[in-house]
Amino acid sequence: MKERIKKLGVFTSGGDAPGMNAAIRAVVRTGIYYNMEVYGIMRGYEGMIDGDIVKLGARSVGNILQRGGTILKTARSKEFRTKEGRIKAFDNLKKNGIDALVAIGGDGTFTGLHYFSNEFDIPTVCLPGTIDNDIAGTDYTIGYDTATNTAVQAIDRIRDTALSHNRLFFIEVMGRHSGYIAINSGIAGGAGAIILPEEDMTFEDLFSLLEAGMETGKKSNLVVVAEGSKLGGANELAKKIAERSDYFDIKVTILGHQQRGGSPTYFDRVLASKMGVAAVEGLLDGNNSVMVGFKDNKIVYNAYDDVINKQHKIEDESMRIAKILSI
Ligand code: F6P
């Protein structure tokens, strides 16, 4: 074991994700288990800059395992992108005696911490917390399973009404750059077409798919569109299809931020718990500037350089399956 960590800081940053609370709980309790004092930094980097830091005990994180959101709040900080902001943040950590950090967030969070750990002498470990599942170095991010289940539940409900009215629905799910929620909620929800940011589907391809469905007797259909689709969002696509043909009775549902909230699934709670323990034990073992990942059912530590700006790609096999099953 390397030099002992006495005071550990933990924070959440970027978009919230279900399971972040489970991760905070795991970090706090593991720190206390190893005789550290643990501090919660509020509102991510914003709270670090403002000195909004609170001491946490094992009981402060009681009854949060099952709750969505993040008790530490979160933000996307502009000021932390400046050197001045990072200096203020480090001064506040020093004032509180914090000598190691665990961050829970996505790519933007890691990029900030990468700068920070190059500029200042403080060990840092990140946990991937985002519903997008777009982070390299891990098969799953905290929150993705819950968000996808939320999307599937919504799609199932929409299917009921689509069937009753013989309607075509465009359902937009979250994912600015990543089609993970779309591909898997689309497969699980039996979508007739799935539009992903990663794929170069043309409008003609989409129209042919819908036409083929109609010709083979589909009375209703569901198209799942990822927010970052290059073909356009659900509203735009629905409008274009309506302009092309009056055969379809078209409706649009944007699932939006409901995918970010809600009680985490068992999978996200366990993932977050394992990653939280691994973050603190990793620090104690001398790991620094790494992101904890879960690959092939095992905890792994990835250097920031192997993670930042490197998208977790959707498996070709998932896209192949989706196509076969949507006929
Ligand atoms: O990164 C998570 C995510 O929910 C994306 O899927 C979405 O594009 C974005 O955040 C929305 O961000 P905000 O809540 O800041 O509008």
Side-chain angles (χ1 to χ4, degrees), residues 76 130-132 174-176 227 257 260:
R76 303 189 205 270
T130 164
I131 63 165
D132 291 347
M174 273 190 161
R176 245 183 315 211
E227 187 188 4
H257 284 80
R260 288 253 291 269

Short mmCIF file of all heavy atoms in Angstrom, two decimals, residues 76 130-132 174-176 227 257 260, ligand 1:
data_model
loop_
_atom_site.label_atom_id
_atom_site.label_comp_id
_atom_site.label_asym_id
_atom_site.label_seq_id
_atom_site.Cartn_x
_atom_site.Cartn_y
_atom_site.Cartn_z
N ARG A 76 -22.29 21.26 -15.16
CA ARG A 76 -21.25 21.27 -16.20
C ARG A 76 -20.56 22.61 -16.05
O ARG A 76 -21.15 23.65 -16.33
CB ARG A 76 -21.88 21.13 -17.59
CG ARG A 76 -22.76 19.88 -17.77
CD ARG A 76 -23.15 19.72 -19.22
NE ARG A 76 -24.37 18.95 -19.43
CZ ARG A 76 -24.42 17.63 -19.59
NH1 ARG A 76 -23.33 16.93 -19.56
NH2 ARG A 76 -25.58 17.02 -19.79
N THR A 130 -22.90 7.79 -16.72
CA THR A 130 -23.67 8.47 -17.77
C THR A 130 -24.64 7.48 -18.38
O THR A 130 -24.30 6.31 -18.54
CB THR A 130 -22.76 9.05 -18.88
OG1 THR A 130 -23.60 9.36 -20.02
CG2 THR A 130 -21.68 8.09 -19.34
N ILE A 131 -25.82 7.97 -18.72
CA ILE A 131 -26.81 7.04 -19.31
C ILE A 131 -26.41 6.64 -20.73
O ILE A 131 -26.95 5.71 -21.30
CB ILE A 131 -28.23 7.65 -19.33
CG1 ILE A 131 -28.31 8.88 -20.22
CG2 ILE A 131 -28.72 7.93 -17.93
CD1 ILE A 131 -29.75 9.29 -20.57
N ASP A 132 -25.45 7.35 -21.34
CA ASP A 132 -25.16 7.15 -22.77
C ASP A 132 -24.37 5.88 -23.10
O ASP A 132 -24.36 5.45 -24.26
CB ASP A 132 -24.38 8.36 -23.32
CG ASP A 132 -25.24 9.61 -23.40
OD1 ASP A 132 -26.47 9.50 -23.25
OD2 ASP A 132 -24.68 10.70 -23.60
N MET A 174 -32.61 9.41 -25.72
CA MET A 174 -31.42 10.26 -25.53
C MET A 174 -30.17 9.64 -26.14
O MET A 174 -30.11 8.45 -26.40
CB MET A 174 -31.20 10.54 -24.05
CG MET A 174 -31.97 11.76 -23.59
SD MET A 174 -31.48 12.26 -21.94
CE MET A 174 -32.09 13.94 -21.93
N GLY A 175 -29.18 10.46 -26.32
CA GLY A 175 -27.89 10.03 -26.90
C GLY A 175 -27.49 10.99 -28.00
O GLY A 175 -27.87 10.82 -29.14
N ARG A 176 -26.74 12.01 -27.61
CA ARG A 176 -26.31 13.05 -28.54
C ARG A 176 -25.32 12.49 -29.55
O ARG A 176 -25.37 12.79 -30.72
CB ARG A 176 -25.61 14.16 -27.75
CG ARG A 176 -26.34 15.45 -27.82
CD ARG A 176 -25.58 16.52 -27.09
NE ARG A 176 -25.09 16.04 -25.80
CZ ARG A 176 -24.93 16.81 -24.73
NH1 ARG A 176 -25.23 18.08 -24.80
NH2 ARG A 176 -24.46 16.33 -23.61
N GLU A 227 -31.33 10.69 -30.28
CA GLU A 227 -31.30 12.16 -30.29
C GLU A 227 -30.27 12.72 -31.30
O GLU A 227 -30.53 13.70 -31.99
CB GLU A 227 -30.90 12.57 -28.87
CG GLU A 227 -30.92 13.98 -28.52
CD GLU A 227 -30.30 14.18 -27.12
OE1 GLU A 227 -29.80 13.21 -26.50
OE2 GLU A 227 -30.33 15.32 -26.66
N HIS A 257 -35.82 13.76 -20.64
CA HIS A 257 -35.11 13.60 -19.37
C HIS A 257 -35.70 12.56 -18.42
O HIS A 257 -35.09 12.27 -17.40
CB HIS A 257 -34.99 14.96 -18.67
CG HIS A 257 -33.93 15.82 -19.29
ND1 HIS A 257 -34.15 16.52 -20.44
CD2 HIS A 257 -32.63 16.05 -18.95
CE1 HIS A 257 -33.05 17.18 -20.78
NE2 HIS A 257 -32.12 16.90 -19.89
N ARG A 260 -33.27 10.05 -17.54
CA ARG A 260 -32.16 10.33 -16.63
C ARG A 260 -32.51 10.08 -15.17
O ARG A 260 -31.61 10.01 -14.32
CB ARG A 260 -31.71 11.79 -16.82
CG ARG A 260 -30.98 12.03 -18.13
CD ARG A 260 -29.49 12.23 -17.90
NE ARG A 260 -29.28 13.46 -17.22
CZ ARG A 260 -29.07 14.63 -17.84
NH1 ARG A 260 -29.01 14.66 -19.15
NH2 ARG A 260 -28.89 15.72 -17.15
O1 F6P B 1 -24.96 12.68 -21.55
C1 F6P B 1 -26.21 12.35 -21.03
C2 F6P B 1 -27.30 13.09 -21.77
O2 F6P B 1 -28.54 12.76 -21.18
C3 F6P B 1 -27.36 12.90 -23.27
O3 F6P B 1 -27.98 11.69 -23.66
C4 F6P B 1 -28.13 14.12 -23.68
O4 F6P B 1 -27.85 14.42 -25.00
C5 F6P B 1 -27.60 15.18 -22.74
O5 F6P B 1 -27.12 14.49 -21.61
C6 F6P B 1 -28.60 16.22 -22.32
O6 F6P B 1 -27.96 17.13 -21.48
P1 F6P B 1 -28.72 18.23 -20.60
O7 F6P B 1 -29.43 17.54 -19.48
O8 F6P B 1 -27.65 19.13 -20.12
O9 F6P B 1 -29.69 18.89 -21.52
#
